């Protein structure tokens, strides 16, 4: 797949039934390079710039975290933890194994293969790796929404097959503390400098939390902003092609994408069923998604709406990476497969009826959501 074909998949893939009050699917945007906003211009409080599509504004400022403000020491510690394979069970994997800083903080694999040491490079995990782009803003994380606290979410993989320090959080916590204080004792001084804590005498749970906080400080750099769409939205006619502008019209109109991919983050941070894991003949789904967290019948087969910002670089798509490219996703949404799950979003009860031109324009629009590249420099050396 070419990079261009990666662009629109998420934009067309996870459109669900819940409409947000701030988003209007009936608004239209002209097909030319000059603006036809379809909505009254409104100035954003952050910049004072009048936007053509105010409900799809730019990213806000980074969260301040007044109780845990980021510092150079915290960010540096988080960087070390992010890249250090010695903290894994095998000694061959780290956060960057799945969330590669050069590949939009994900891995472009169908499903994650965190441990690349033979013979442990199989089996893979069961879900596609979500990008860390803009995760610092997210109120809920992971495909099933099982994490709502960023520090906890960042530390959690040490308890999974990703990093293999334990079978659950309680069993992994003392192992991580041992790694940080005995196996790699250089971390003791770094934690002291960053947080004023002696991790040798702290509880394993406290060390776990501090490590998650440091990783959270590091991923504040994983931001996808200042996309061509943002510049066009602020009045730069040259920032998007005529095809991308037409795609925005489809996105807000007949494609119904904005019903889920809404707001500055192009996600509603909610869960939708697009028949990506329909029940088999026995009535069971390969992955029940959100239901595994909530136990609510209506949540069966629902998965988190990913952000569209940076989606250009994150193929393949869906929770299990089943769709290799953008047009295959559009085929899924335009055809009967999208209603294969009895619990599918009712939005798809009426076929979208996207034409080839619609699909091409949608691809151009979501390509225009690719932000300025993020530059990360790995640690020159580790503790």
């Amino acid at each position: 797949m070419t990079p261009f074909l990666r662009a629109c998949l998420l934009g067309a893939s996870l459109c669900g039934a819940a409409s947000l009050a701030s988003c209007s699917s009936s608004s239209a945007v002209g097909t030319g390079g000059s603006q036809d906003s379809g909505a009254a211009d409104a100035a954003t409080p952050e910049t004072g710039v009048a936007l053509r599509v105010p409900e799809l504004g730019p990213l806000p400022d980074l969260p301040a975290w007044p109780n845990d403000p980021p510092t150079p020491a915290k960010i540096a510690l988080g960087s070390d933890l992010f890249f250090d394979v010695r903290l894994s069970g095998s000694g061959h994997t780290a956060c960057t194994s799945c969330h590669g800083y050069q590949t939009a903080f994900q891995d472009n694999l169908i499903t994650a293969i965190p441990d690349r040491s033979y013979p442990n490079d199989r089996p893979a995990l069961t879900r596609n790796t979500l990008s860390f782009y803009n995760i610092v803003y997210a109120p809920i994380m992971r495909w099933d929404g099982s994490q709502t606290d960023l520090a906890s979410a960042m530390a959690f993989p040490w308890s999974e097959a990703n990093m293999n320090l334990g079978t659950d959080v309680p069993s992994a916590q003392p192992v991580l503390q041992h790694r940080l204080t005995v196996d790699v004792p250089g971390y003791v001084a770094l934690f002291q400098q960053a947080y004023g804590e002696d991790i040798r005498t702290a509880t394993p749970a406290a060390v776990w939390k501090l490590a998650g906080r440091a990783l959270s400080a590091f991923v504040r750099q994983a931001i996808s902003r200042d996309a061509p769409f943002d510049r066009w939205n602020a009045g730069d006619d040259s920032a998007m092609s005529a095809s991308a502008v037409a795609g925005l019209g489809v996105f807000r109109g007949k494609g119904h994408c904005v019903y889920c991919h809404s707001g500055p983050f192009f996600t509603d941070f909610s869960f939708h069923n697009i028949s990506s894991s329909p029940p088999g003949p026995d009535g069971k789904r390969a992955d029940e998604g959100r239901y595994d967290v909530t136990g609510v019948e209506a949540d069966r087969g629902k998965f988190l709406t990913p952000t569209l910002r940076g989606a250009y670089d994150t193929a393949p798509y869906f929770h299990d990476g089943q769709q290799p490219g953008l047009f295959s996703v559009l085929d899924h949404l335009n055809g009967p497969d999208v209603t294969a799950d009895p619990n599918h979003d009712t939005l798809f009860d009426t076929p979208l009826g996207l034409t080839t031109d619609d699909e091409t324009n949608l691809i151009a629009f979501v390509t225009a959501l690719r932000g300025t590249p993020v530059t990360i420099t790995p640690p020159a050396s580790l503790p």
Side-chain angles (χ1 to χ4, degrees):
M1 176 188 299
T2 66
F4 178 77
L5 290 180
R6 298 175 182 169
C8 184
L9 178 59
L10 288 175
S13 66
L14 291 174
C15 302
S19 175
L20 299 183
S22 62
C23 299
S24 169
S25 64
S26 62
S27 298
V29 177
T31 57
S34 61
Q35 72 258 39
D36 175 10
S37 69
D41 286 350
T44 62
E46 296 87 358
T47 65
V49 174
L51 300 179
R52 292 165 166 168
V53 189
E55 67 269 25
L56 298 176
L59 293 188
D61 292 338
L62 283 168
W65 295 352
N67 296 326
D68 188 16
T71 65
K74 292 175 184 178
I75 295 169
L77 172 58
S79 177
D80 289 342
L81 296 173
F82 191 83
F83 286 96
D84 198 341
V85 298
R86 298 171 297 175
L87 305 180
S88 66
S90 69
H92 292 281
T93 187
C95 304
T96 191
S97 299
C98 294
H99 298 279
Y101 72 100
Q102 293 177 315
T103 53
F105 291 88
Q106 49 82 61
D107 55 19
N108 294 124
L109 298 176
I110 295 174
T111 57
I113 306 174
D115 191 344
R116 313 296 172 82
S117 61
Y118 182 84
N120 297 316
D121 57 353
R122 294 292 187 277
L125 303 184
T126 60
R127 288 177 176 167
N128 179 260
T129 301
L130 280 166
S131 171
F132 276 165
Y133 272 157
N134 304 332
I135 194 173
V136 296
Y137 298 99
I140 195 164
M141 289 146 274
R142 300 172 72 93
W143 282 110
D144 57 10
S146 55
Q147 295 287 335
T148 58
D149 175 75
L150 181 59
S152 296
M154 295 303 299
F156 188 75
W158 275 308
S159 71
E160 297 182 296
N162 303 42
M163 305 286 274
N164 274 323
L165 294 190
T167 57
D168 55 22
V169 171
S171 65
Q173 286 175 340
V175 181
L176 178 63
Q177 183 179 35
H178 189 274
R179 293 290 171 94
L180 294 171
T181 58
V182 177
D183 296 338
V184 192
Y187 276 108
V188 173
L190 298 182
F191 275 88
Q192 183 72 45
Q193 181 181 1
Y195 293 103
E197 298 281 350
D198 187 341
I199 59 173
R200 296 170 297 185
T201 57
T203 66
V207 175
W208 183 270
K209 186 70 171 182
L210 288 175
R213 288 167 57 186
L215 286 167
S216 300
F218 170 76
V219 299
R220 288 171 67 90
Q221 301 171 87
I223 301 298
S224 180
R225 66 164 81 241
D226 192 31
F229 166 72
D230 295 315
R231 299 192 291 275
W232 177 91
N233 202 13
D236 181 356
D237 286 342
S238 66
M240 286 208 307
S241 67
S243 178
V245 175
L248 173 59
V250 178
F251 186 85
R252 301 172 75 207
K254 67 187 292 187
H256 298 307
C257 305
V258 78
Y259 280 77
C260 292
H261 293 287
S262 53
F265 306 106
F266 287 83
T267 172
D268 58 1
F269 296 110
S270 190
F271 302 85
H272 303 280
N273 185 322
I274 57 168
S275 299
S276 60
S277 183
D282 60 357
K284 296 180 179 180
R285 294 172 178 81
D287 191 331
E288 293 287 354
R290 181 66 172 157
Y291 170 82
D292 288 338
V293 175
T294 67
V296 175
E297 285 294 319
D299 286 339
R300 288 189 182 274
K302 291 185 177 181
F303 297 92
L304 181 68
T305 305
T307 178
L308 285 188
R309 289 188 178 273
Y312 178 98
D313 294 307
T314 62
Y317 304 94
F318 288 2
H319 72 280
D320 57 356
Q322 67 182 260
Q323 300 296 347
L326 309 181
F327 287 105
S328 66
V329 168
L330 295 175
D331 287 343
H332 178 89
L333 295 173
N334 262 333
D337 288 348
V338 74
T339 59
D341 193 316
N343 196 39
H344 67 269
D345 279 329
T346 57
L347 177 70
F348 296 103
D349 287 344
T350 301
L352 295 178
L354 299 177
T355 67
T356 300
D357 284 346
D358 291 333
E359 295 174 2
T360 300
N361 292 334
L362 274 171
I363 290 170
F365 171 64
V366 181
T367 302
L369 294 177
R370 191 188 194 202
T372 301
V374 177
T375 300
I376 296 292
T377 302
S381 61
L382 292 169

